[in-house]
Amino acid sequence: MKLCSVVLRHQLPVLLQTLAPPARCEPCQSVKGPPGQPGAPGPTGSMGSPGYPGTAGSQGYPGPPGQQGPPGLKGDMGPRGIKGSKGEGHSGPPGSPGQPGVQGPRGSDGIGHPGSQGVPGKPGPPGDPGKRGSPGQPGVCDVSMCYQTYNVRDDFFSKGPNI
């Protein structure tokens, strides 16, 4: 936005002079504009002289404890102590089982009792088919079965002759 206003301020009078017909007028007087943008920062200066030494600081806190030192030499043996009182004894746990013994001699034959009845067996395979029988008596014809075939009656819902 600022760039546009700067361009218009400098270029608008020139543009208007080129578009207007040549006429004799007094030369324009320019008005002093606002100050420009600040410049870039300068280079770093040289180092100054060292300052005076400061006053002594306050007393600090004590530090953490140091590491443990090596173990010392073994001391002399002390005097022998008084004999202790007799303790109470208890029986210990049972021992482990021993090895198996030698096999004994064969015993004499005894008299046994009859055992219980066994489980019944499974059924056997089916038997062979039987021989063919002799022919039967000749059949008898039922007349009621023939009525529908010969269309003797007109009543289709009838189940037989009307007796």
Side-chain angles (χ1 to χ4, degrees):
M1 183 74 135
K2 195 171 193 179
L3 180 66
C4 289
S5 66
V6 170
V7 169
L8 282 175
R9 191 175 298 127
H10 291 287
Q11 297 297 325
L12 185 61
V14 176
L15 179 66
L16 289 175
Q17 284 181 358
T18 58
L19 291 178
R24 295 192 177 209
C25 62
E26 295 180 20
C28 297
Q29 293 181 357
S30 62
V31 179
K32 187 174 182 180
Q37 295 287 335
T44 306
S46 60
M47 186 179 208
S49 60
Y52 296 108
T55 59
S58 61
Q59 180 70 30
Y61 297 108
Q67 292 182 345
Q68 185 176 357
L73 298 173
K74 187 173 181 179
D76 295 332
M77 183 182 274
R80 187 172 182 146
I82 306 169
K83 186 175 180 182
S85 61
K86 185 174 181 181
E88 295 180 25
H90 299 286
S91 55
S96 58
Q99 297 290 330
V102 181
Q103 185 175 358
R106 180 181 167 96
S108 59
D109 291 339
I111 300 171
H113 300 288
S116 59
Q117 186 175 357
V119 180
K122 295 181 181 176
D128 294 332
K131 294 182 180 177
R132 189 177 182 97
S134 60
Q137 295 291 326
V140 177
C141 179
D142 185 9
V143 179
S144 66
M145 303 276 292
C146 301
Y147 280 123
Q148 197 163 1
T149 308
Y150 294 116
N151 285 333
V152 174
R153 295 187 56 167
D154 290 337
D155 188 7
F156 296 107
F157 298 106
S158 175
K159 295 185 177 179
N162 214 356
I163 300 177

